[in-house]
């Protein structure tokens, strides 16, 4: 299991560390985000042992839809916005992250992580 993913016990702890890419506190707003959840079954955690089916969230604001401008942000996995929150990618194009994830339709967290690993990192990293 990969214990190197940044991990936060709650949305509040994550939001304190990533104030520019927050998980919405409001459940309705959070559920309205364009997220990936493997055909509504959730992504099986085979990396860190949370014992949960996880949702992959694109923050801030969800993955951009067609016709929406792209944003740079953070990709996380969580149990529907609750802790633990696992940071999978930082400072990435949310559109590119959405495309690489949905292009593979992963069912396991390791597959999501591998897909995101193919994204180019910003030059300053």
């Amino acid at each position: 299991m990969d214990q190197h993913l940044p991990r936060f016990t709650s949305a509040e702890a994550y939001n304190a560390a990533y104030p520019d890419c927050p998980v919405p506190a409001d459940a309705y707003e959070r559920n309205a985000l364009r997220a990936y959840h493997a055909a509504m079954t959730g992504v099986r955690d085979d990396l860190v042992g949370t014992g949960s089916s996880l949702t992959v969230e694109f923050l801030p604001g969800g993955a951009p839809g067609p016709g929406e401008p792209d944003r740079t942000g953070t990709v996380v996995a969580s149990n529907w916005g609750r802790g633990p929150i696992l940071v999978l990618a930082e400072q990435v194009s949310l559109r590119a992250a959405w495309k690489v994830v949905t292009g593979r339709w992963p069912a396991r967290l390791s597959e999501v992580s591998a897909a995101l690993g193919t994204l180019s990192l910003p030059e300053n990293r």
Side-chain angles (χ1 to χ4, degrees):
M1 286 190 214
D2 184 356
Q3 299 297 324
H4 294 91
L5 295 176
R7 185 178 188 165
F8 298 89
T9 58
S10 66
E12 294 80 14
Y14 165 83
N15 287 347
Y18 292 87
D20 294 336
C21 301
V23 172
D26 179 72
Y28 178 79
E29 184 181 346
R30 186 175 55 249
N31 292 334
L33 294 178
R34 189 171 182 216
Y36 176 77
H37 35 67
M40 298 302 287
T41 63
V43 176
R44 186 170 50 88
D45 176 10
D46 63 341
L47 283 180
V48 297
T50 62
S52 298
S53 290
L54 304 173
T55 300
V56 178
E57 298 168 291
F58 302 80
L59 303 169
E68 293 180 349
D70 193 8
R71 296 180 300 282
T72 298
T74 302
V75 181
V76 303
S78 73
N79 187 356
W80 305 102
R82 296 182 303 273
I85 295 178
L86 310 169
V87 177
L88 303 173
E90 302 171 303
Q91 298 180 354
V92 295
S93 157
L94 295 181
R95 183 177 313 286
W98 173 261
K99 286 182 178 180
V100 75
V101 170
T102 59
R104 296 183 184 195
W105 294 106
R108 296 184 320 222
L109 192 57
S110 62
E111 296 166 338
V112 173
S113 182
L116 292 170
T118 67
L119 295 175
S120 298
L121 295 176
E123 290 183 38
N124 63 351
R125 294 199 73 211

